Amino acid sequence: MLRLQWRSVSDQQNQVSVEEITNILKRNNWNSLLDSSDITNKLNPDVVRAVLHQNQVGDSKRLLRFFSWYEHKLGALHDLDMMAILVVNLCNSHCYGPTSDVIERMIRSCSSPQVILGSIVGRYRYCNGSSSNQKVFDLVIDKYRKMGLLDEAAGVLLGAKDVEFVPSLLLFNCLLSDLLKANKLELFWKLCRSMSEANMVFDVYAYTSMINAHCKVGNVKEAENLLSEMGEKGCEPNAVTYNVVIGGLCRAGLLDEAIEMKKSMLEKGLVPDNYTYATLINGFCAEKRLKEAKIVLVEMTGIGLKPDTKIFNALINGFMRQGDIEAAFGIKDEMLVYGIREDLIIFNTLLNGVCKAGRLDKAQELMDEMIKMGLKPDSSTYTLLIEGYCREHDMNSAFKVLEEMHRLNLAPTVMTYGVIINGLCHSGNFQQASDVIGEMDAKGLKPNAIVYTSLMAAHAREGRFEELRRIFDKMVEQGIKPDVFCYNSLIAGLCKAHKMEEARIFLVEMLARGLQANAYTYGAFIDEYSKLGKMELADRYFDEMLGCGLIPNNVIYMTLIDAHCKIGNITEAFSVFRCMLARKVLPDVQTYSMLIQCLSKTGRHQDAIGLFSEMSLKGLVPDVFTYNSLISGNCKQGDLEKALELHEEMCAKGITSNIATYNIIISGLIKAGETERAKKMFDDISRKGLTPNTVTYSTMIDGCCICGNVNAAFRLFDEMPQRGISPDSFVYNALLDGSCKEGKLEKALDLFQQMLRKGFASTLTFNTLIDGFCKSAKLQEAKHLLEVMIEKKVMPNHVTYTILIDRHCNEGMMKEAKELFLEMQERNLNPTVITYRTLINGYNMIGDRKEVFAFFKDMVAKGIKPDKIAYDVTLDACCKEGNLVEALELRDEMLEKNVQMSASAYEALIQALCKKEEYSNALRLLDEMGGSGHRLSLVTCSVMARGLQTAGNTDKAAKVLENMTRFGWVSDSTTLSDLVDGNLIDGDLRCTR
């Protein structure tokens, strides 16, 4: 009760104070009256709030001054309600400057835009929402905008819907412009949608901002749609609008559409300005369409517009990037025609270009010219020159330039030191690189992430993982956060150094830091594993990449396709290809060519042709590489006419053949025995302006040697040095082989000596000459050559020993042959089935059947599968030794392994059966032999028939003759008595079927 009475008394006292203050404030000298009165003792926030709220003074500025007087006397008030009253009152009085100042105080006093908005909305509603009060929301939003608080500004705009607030177009456009500059596109479009729903009519400036937003993210189609919408809604685009669209099209590489947009601009009566032409020229330069860029420049000057240094700089930079230094300097000279003097930017662009091209002499000339013109090179200039010397690994000159900078009191920047550190790292001088970092620290310059990345990438290339980790940890300790680029550089460097596990560690660490790996990150793993042929791991990283929602680029797809193709895994290559198509990544000519080549190499020629047709249907023009793959496929298929037809088609389409094309066709003709046509094709090479290479001559020389025309091969060999082509080991080996086959051993020895001097003599070389000596019955020379071979540390292989063993076996020198066989195994050279069958046949010829069986058994024990000859000879030995059971077991083994018996094997087995008087079994073998297309000798047939008749089996003897007649071995007129008596002669025989 007492408390209520006290509050009532207090309220009455406050009201009295409010009336007293209000009356004083109505006086012009209110300030002095308040100072001289005891009113200060009666003041409190409630009194001040009431004075402001009642606003009976009628002067909002005076109320603001009273509020400031109070704060000066009794301390600052952070009362949002009081400030909201002042804001609305001042705004209603059109005192926008003071209103804005109070709003700023509110913003600095309260971090919540919603609270500030709530206090103003409350006061706004108290004033019955007068239309003039809506201006207050414009001022609040504008103040947030000018303070750089764009999220808050947008929040106020979107939060003022309850008062049906629509900002002025001017404010809306200013806010859109600021959001666009800050790249806050999501908020940008949220505002646009909100204002569209509030039926705001967008003007040309709003539309231009929205078009710019679309262009900024490369969505030029939507930008063009908005441009059309403007016309439909009666809002005419201006020159700035068109310039924005043209800029978007140029950045998207749609230069032809940009030119059409300029034409449309002219049709609307708008005149392109310097910005329009500068945008187009920059666009053409970026796409390396420099001729068109110059045409635009000519058009620009033709309508009286004067290009500035930025335009000329773009042209110079474009020509430099294209490697056309002369044209770039031509643009520099052209500047003078337009009365434009070169500035430092122009010289720096020229300097950058010549340094990258390695023209340091030209770079020095530019430096001298700059100084002569009175231009002062800056730190960037000297940094470019230093970088040029570093690229050429001329670190001495780079340090001389750095010394010159010190002499001119030009402070090297972090970038300057970074370039030097990178150069030292590439030169492998890590200690000096560390010293330079020390120099940077001494000068108060902190190495940035780029410097550290260069240093770490160099250590990665050298496989110095521990040092790399130390530098990385130091970088992090210094507060430099590694970014995706830094991690990618490290991962790429480690992958190139085959340090795949270490690279994986950094990938895991990168992801743990919340950084998002990109296509380049995974591309490093995929590329290296593909090069190493570890396709399972390459595919695993590819799948991991897709699982992360990343889109592989063309390079990754091509790397995988190429790697799978190289190992003949065409199924996996096409799996990647289909994935590429499914993700709307368009394969280029090179991708199709890889697949076509792989199909051709693996014998799937029809599939290659099908893919070639698909490629053409998609509008892709095959190149020489594509045609070469198809031509090669046809040559391998033996369809030379189709190969030549493709070559003609290729030439008709204006695709120039290269030397590889001719090499493929010549090789195909040589293999088909078409030596003359190959020679004509060879002669055509020079007429087409091409130069034969080592492969061309190698193919031709090999072909001549194969067909026995060794003289022609030597003429080509003599021609090679005249054309500046050095014969390689393949050429020498082909000639050596040809000479040996022709029996020209003196010529072969001469070639051999040349090969020894040139270091071309290989195991193949020695084998060829040893074989030549053996075939010419020069066994001693062949054995001596083996000694020379070992002496020259050219290791013999199983072929070397097999050649020598074969010759010794043919000469009946089985002891020496066996010694060679043992020596061969002492050298850890494994004999092959050819080695064994040679020895088996040799021992069989001299009648040493024991050794025949021993070597056959040894061969089988070592897991070497006997071939037809080894079986036949061993079976023959069994028969001659009378081991019929073993012979028949061998025959069964041959049938089981699908090894066809020879006529001589059948002959031996049937003769052995006849000796054992097993004529019935012999007759069954005779029937089997005839069915296999073999023919038994007349003598054996006669012995069999005679034996059967003697044993009283006349019917079976007649069956022998019947089979012989059925198989066409004898004429129908042959009688059994002729066969039994042995009266048949060779003339009675018919040719076998």
Side-chain angles (χ1 to χ4, degrees):
M1 187 68 178
L2 288 170
R3 182 177 294 176
L4 288 172
Q5 289 175 351
W6 179 85
R7 182 176 292 173
S8 177
V9 171
S10 177
D11 289 345
Q12 289 174 5
Q13 290 174 349
N14 282 347
Q15 186 57 39
V16 170
S17 299
V18 168
E19 290 174 1
E20 185 180 351
I21 292 167
T22 300
N23 289 328
I24 292 172
L25 286 173
K26 289 177 181 178
R27 308 277 295 273
N28 289 333
N29 61 340
W30 64 270
N31 202 320
S32 58
L33 291 172
L34 286 175
D35 285 337
S36 59
S37 69
D38 63 346
I39 201 73
T40 306
N41 300 325
K42 302 173 184 179
L43 286 174
N44 61 54
D46 291 334
V47 170
V48 176
R49 185 181 296 104
V51 171
L52 297 176
H53 181 69
Q54 292 175 17
N55 190 19
Q56 293 180 3
V57 178
D59 186 343
S60 58
K61 284 187 179 180
R62 185 168 292 182
L63 284 175
L64 176 61
R65 286 195 290 273
F66 163 69
F67 182 74
S68 299
W69 175 85
Y70 170 81
E71 286 190 313
H72 178 70
K73 294 289 183 183
L74 299 174
L77 280 172
H78 298 288
D79 192 311
L80 286 180
D81 288 336
M82 286 191 209
M83 287 189 272
I85 293 167
L86 284 169
V87 164
V88 175
N89 286 343
L90 285 165
C91 193
N92 284 343
S93 301
H94 305 292
C95 299
Y96 301 133
T99 305
S100 185
D101 292 339
V102 177
I103 290 169
E104 185 172 343
R105 275 198 63 182
M106 292 177 78
I107 292 169
R108 296 192 185 282
S109 300
C110 179
S111 60
S112 171
Q114 286 75 26
V115 173
I116 293 171
L117 181 62
S119 64
I120 293 173
V121 167
R123 185 62 189 170
Y124 171 81
R125 283 176 176 160
Y126 178 80
C127 295
N128 298 319
S130 62
S131 60
S132 63
N133 275 343
Q134 283 220 358
K135 176 69 177 175
V136 74
F137 297 108
D138 265 7
L139 292 170
V140 172
I141 293 164
D142 194 48
K143 179 52 68 177
Y144 270 117
R145 182 185 72 82
K146 286 177 178 175
M147 290 174 73
L149 303 170
L150 299 180
D151 291 311
E152 290 80 354
V156 172
L157 192 154
L158 295 167
K161 283 184 178 179
D162 293 341
V163 290
E164 298 180 355
F165 167 69
V166 177
S168 66
L169 263 174
L170 177 61
L171 173 66
F172 177 66
N173 288 334
C174 288
L175 185 54
L176 285 187
S177 178
D178 287 348
L179 287 169
L180 199 56
K181 286 175 185 173
N183 207 30
K184 293 179 177 289
L185 295 180
E186 188 178 345
L187 197 53
F188 176 96
W189 289 114
K190 194 173 182 181
L191 280 187
C192 290
R193 285 191 295 272
S194 176
M195 291 303 100
S196 180
E197 289 165 7
N199 297 317
M200 175 183 273
V201 179
F202 297 137
D203 62 4
V204 64
Y205 301 105
Y207 270 114
T208 301
S209 289
M210 287 188 281
I211 288 169
N212 198 1
H214 279 307
C215 290
K216 199 165 189 179
V217 294
N219 198 353
V220 289
K221 290 300 174 189
E222 285 299 320
E224 289 178 305
N225 290 341
L226 270 179
L227 187 66
S228 300
E229 183 185 308
M230 286 179 74
E232 291 166 7
K233 293 193 175 179
C235 181
E236 290 299 323
N238 58 22
V240 175
T241 315
Y242 274 102
N243 281 345
V244 168
V245 177
I246 289 167
L249 290 166
C250 287
R251 285 192 296 275
L254 302 170
L255 294 163
D256 296 324
E257 289 185 37
I259 291 292
E260 289 303 313
M261 192 59 68
K262 180 178 73 71
K263 289 178 183 176
S264 174
M265 183 180 182
L266 288 164
E267 288 166 6
K268 295 280 185 182
L270 298 169
V271 181
D273 56 14
N274 275 53
Y275 183 87
T276 317
Y277 284 103
T279 303
L280 287 166
I281 289 168
N282 274 316
F284 279 117
C285 288
E287 292 294 314
K288 297 183 179 180
R289 293 168 64 174
L290 297 166
K291 286 183 180 178
E292 288 154 292
K294 288 198 75 175
I295 290 168
V296 175
L297 177 64
V298 170
E299 182 186 319
M300 177 185 182
T301 55
I303 62 171
L305 292 174
K306 187 178 180 181
D308 58 14
T309 52
K310 289 181 181 177
I311 289 175
F312 283 110
N313 193 57
L315 283 164
I316 289 168
N317 189 43
F319 280 114
M320 282 296 188
R321 282 173 57 215
Q322 205 174 57
D324 194 343
I325 295 173
E326 189 177 335
F329 276 90
I331 296 293
K332 171 180 170 286
D333 297 336
E334 202 173 319
M335 287 177 68
L336 301 174
V337 176
Y338 293 100
I340 299 170
R341 193 169 181 267
E342 307 100 316
D343 60 9
L344 190 59
I345 295 171
I346 294 288
F347 272 104
N348 282 353
T349 303
L350 287 165
L351 190 67
N352 185 35
V354 295
C355 285
K356 282 182 177 176
R359 294 285 306 278
L360 278 307
D361 54 336
K362 196 72 176 173
Q364 196 55 57
E365 287 176 17
L366 280 170
M367 293 292 288
D368 295 340
E369 187 179 344
M370 286 168 71
I371 294 164
K372 190 176 179 181
M373 287 177 64
L375 290 171
K376 290 185 177 179
D378 60 6
S379 293
S380 298
T381 315
Y382 281 102
T383 300
L384 289 169
L385 190 57
I386 288 169
E387 187 176 16
Y389 282 119
C390 289
R391 282 175 186 273
E392 296 298 308
H393 305 292
D394 185 357
M395 297 311 298
N396 288 332
S397 296
F399 275 104
K400 283 179 182 177
V401 176
L402 183 65
E403 287 169 12
E404 188 178 338
M405 284 183 77
H406 290 312
R407 194 170 62 253
L408 295 170
N409 291 322
L410 276 174
T413 62
V414 172
M415 183 180 235
T416 314
Y417 282 113
V419 165
I420 288 175
I421 289 165
N422 191 44
L424 289 167
C425 288
H426 277 284
S427 300
N429 198 336
F430 296 107
Q431 183 55 52
Q432 199 170 356
S434 296
D435 294 342
V436 172
I437 289 176
E439 185 181 324
M440 285 180 75
D441 289 333
K443 291 182 181 292
L445 292 173
K446 287 187 176 180
N448 56 20
I450 297 171
V451 174
Y452 277 114
T453 300
S454 296
L455 197 57
M456 288 185 288
H459 283 292
R461 284 192 297 271
E462 295 294 320
R464 297 158 60 119
F465 184 67
E466 289 181 8
E467 184 64 17
L468 184 155
R469 172 52 77 177
R470 188 190 64 77
I471 296 166
F472 182 84
D473 293 340
K474 182 182 176 183
M475 179 179 83
V476 174
E477 284 169 15
Q478 291 187 353
I480 300 169
K481 292 182 179 179
D483 55 12
V484 174
F485 176 79
C486 175
Y487 275 108
N488 282 352
S489 297
L490 294 176
I491 288 168
L494 288 165
C495 285
K496 284 177 182 175
H498 311 313
K499 297 282 184 180
M500 307 307 289
E501 289 302 318
E502 290 86 345
R504 179 74 189 180
I505 289 167
F506 274 110
L507 173 62
V508 171
E509 187 178 310
M510 172 186 175
L511 298 173
R513 285 179 179 270
L515 294 170
Q516 180 66 52
N518 56 28
Y520 295 100
T521 319
Y522 284 101
F525 287 99
I526 292 166
D527 181 61
E528 194 55 38
Y529 277 124
S530 295
K531 284 176 181 174
L532 295 170
K534 296 182 178 180
M535 295 313 299
E536 188 179 338
L537 289 168
D539 289 335
R540 190 186 301 169
Y541 275 95
F542 181 69
D543 292 338
E544 186 178 321
M545 179 183 183
L546 295 177
C548 293
L550 295 172
I551 299 171
N553 54 35
N554 263 353
V555 175
I556 290 173
Y557 281 116
M558 283 175 62
T559 298
L560 283 169
I561 290 170
D562 184 46
H564 280 301
C565 285
K566 279 178 179 173
I567 61 173
N569 197 345
I570 192 69
T571 304
E572 286 300 321
F574 269 93
S575 175
V576 176
F577 181 67
R578 283 191 293 272
C579 176
M580 188 178 188
L581 294 174
R583 292 177 180 272
K584 310 294 184 190
V585 179
L586 296 176
D588 57 12
V589 174
Q590 193 176 349
T591 309
Y592 272 103
S593 296
M594 283 177 185
L595 289 165
I596 288 167
Q597 185 187 46
C598 187
L599 288 167
S600 296
K601 280 185 175 178
T602 52
R604 293 172 59 178
H605 190 58
Q606 288 306 313
D607 291 334
I609 292 168
L611 200 61
F612 179 78
S613 301
E614 179 189 314
M615 173 186 177
S616 301
L617 285 172
K618 288 189 176 179
L620 293 170
V621 180
D623 58 12
V624 64
F625 183 81
T626 321
Y627 271 104
N628 284 353
S629 298
L630 278 177
I631 291 168
S632 178
N634 279 296
C635 287
K636 285 175 182 175
Q637 294 281 319
D639 194 349
L640 287 169
E641 296 311 316
K642 182 61 181 175
L644 292 166
E645 187 182 308
L646 276 169
H647 182 234
E648 287 176 11
E649 178 189 309
M650 169 184 166
C651 296
K653 286 184 178 179
I655 300 166
T656 307
S657 306
N658 59 19
I659 194 61
T661 317
Y662 281 95
N663 289 346
I664 291 164
I665 296 172
I666 289 169
S667 178
L669 290 166
I670 291 289
K671 285 173 184 174
E674 301 252 13
T675 314
E676 284 304 313
R677 289 179 76 183
K679 182 69 170 67
K680 285 178 183 177
M681 187 64 72
F682 177 80
D683 293 337
D684 193 45
I685 291 173
S686 298
R687 287 194 290 272
K688 295 292 184 182
L690 295 170
T691 305
N693 59 16
T694 309
V695 176
T696 323
Y697 275 103
S698 299
T699 307
M700 283 299 299
I701 288 168
D702 191 43
C704 290
C705 290
I706 288 168
C707 70
N709 195 349
V710 179
N711 290 333
F714 273 101
R715 282 196 295 273
L716 288 168
F717 176 72
D718 293 337
E719 188 182 299
M720 288 179 76
Q722 296 168 18
R723 290 194 178 226
I725 302 167
S726 299
D728 60 9
S729 59
F730 181 87
V731 171
Y732 274 99
N733 279 321
L735 286 166
L736 186 72
D737 186 54
S739 298
C740 287
K741 282 177 180 174
E742 290 288 302
K744 298 179 177 180
L745 291 180
E746 286 187 16
K747 191 68 178 174
L749 279 169
D750 180 51
L751 282 168
F752 177 71
Q753 292 301 324
Q754 289 182 48
M755 293 175 80
L756 285 175
R757 287 195 296 272
K758 291 177 180 287
F760 287 165
S762 62
T763 303
L764 172 65
T765 311
F766 278 95
N767 288 351
T768 302
L769 195 52
I770 287 169
D771 188 51
F773 279 132
C774 286
K775 284 176 180 173
S776 298
K778 294 181 179 291
L779 200 52
Q780 289 305 315
E781 288 86 342
K783 288 172 73 175
H784 174 69
L785 204 54
L786 175 62
E787 293 170 7
V788 173
M789 187 178 187
I790 294 165
E791 183 187 316
K792 297 278 184 188
K793 299 192 184 313
V794 178
M795 297 312 298
N797 59 14
H798 68 275
V799 177
T800 320
Y801 279 97
T802 301
I803 291 168
L804 287 163
I805 288 168
D806 179 64
R807 190 63 210 173
H808 281 86
C809 288
N810 287 338
E811 295 290 332
M813 301 169 68
M814 296 312 298
K815 182 184 175 184
E816 290 83 352
K818 190 171 184 179
E819 286 173 358
L820 284 165
F821 177 77
L822 295 172
E823 183 183 322
M824 174 185 188
Q825 291 176 95
E826 285 171 8
R827 292 186 178 277
N828 294 318
L829 295 172
N830 295 321
T832 65
V833 66
I834 299 170
T835 319
Y836 274 104
R837 81 181 188 201
T838 300
L839 286 159
I840 288 167
N841 189 52
Y843 278 112
N844 194 42
M845 283 194 300
I846 65 169
D848 191 342
R849 317 278 189 254
K850 185 181 177 183
E851 288 288 355
V852 170
F853 302 142
F855 273 103
F856 186 84
K857 186 178 179 181
D858 185 50
M859 174 173 62
V860 174
K862 285 182 177 173
I864 300 170
K865 292 180 181 179
D867 62 4
K868 182 175 178 292
I869 297 171
Y871 272 118
D872 285 349
V873 174
T874 308
L875 190 146
D876 180 66
C878 287
C879 291
K880 285 176 179 173
E881 284 294 302
N883 296 333
L884 195 55
V885 175
E886 289 87 343
L888 288 169
E889 284 177 356
L890 277 175
R891 172 188 172 268
D892 292 342
E893 190 178 314
M894 290 174 76
L895 291 172
E896 185 184 324
K897 293 182 178 178
N898 203 27
V899 179
Q900 191 178 10
M901 286 175 61
S902 66
S904 61
Y906 274 111
E907 187 93 33
L909 193 53
I910 290 170
Q911 285 178 1
L913 287 166
C914 288
K915 281 182 183 178
K916 294 285 186 179
E917 297 184 357
E918 293 186 21
Y919 296 113
S920 295
N921 287 333
L923 185 58
R924 279 196 294 274
L925 274 180
L926 171 69
D927 189 53
E928 181 186 306
M929 183 180 184
S932 301
H934 295 304
R935 189 181 69 190
L936 194 62
S937 70
L938 283 177
V939 173
T940 306
C941 289
S942 180
V943 169
M944 190 189 308
R946 191 183 306 116
L948 285 165
Q949 192 176 57
T950 304
N953 291 323
T954 306
D955 291 342
K956 288 186 178 180
K959 188 69 176 175
V960 174
L961 179 60
E962 183 186 327
N963 284 344
M964 290 176 71
T965 307
R966 179 162 56 90
F967 295 140
W969 297 350
V970 292
S971 66
D972 295 341
S973 61
T974 305
T975 64
L976 181 60
S977 60
D978 289 334
L979 180 62
V980 171
D981 295 341
N983 293 329
L984 293 175
I985 57 173
D986 290 341
D988 296 314
L989 293 176
R990 287 183 179 178
C991 293
T992 57
R993 289 179 299 171

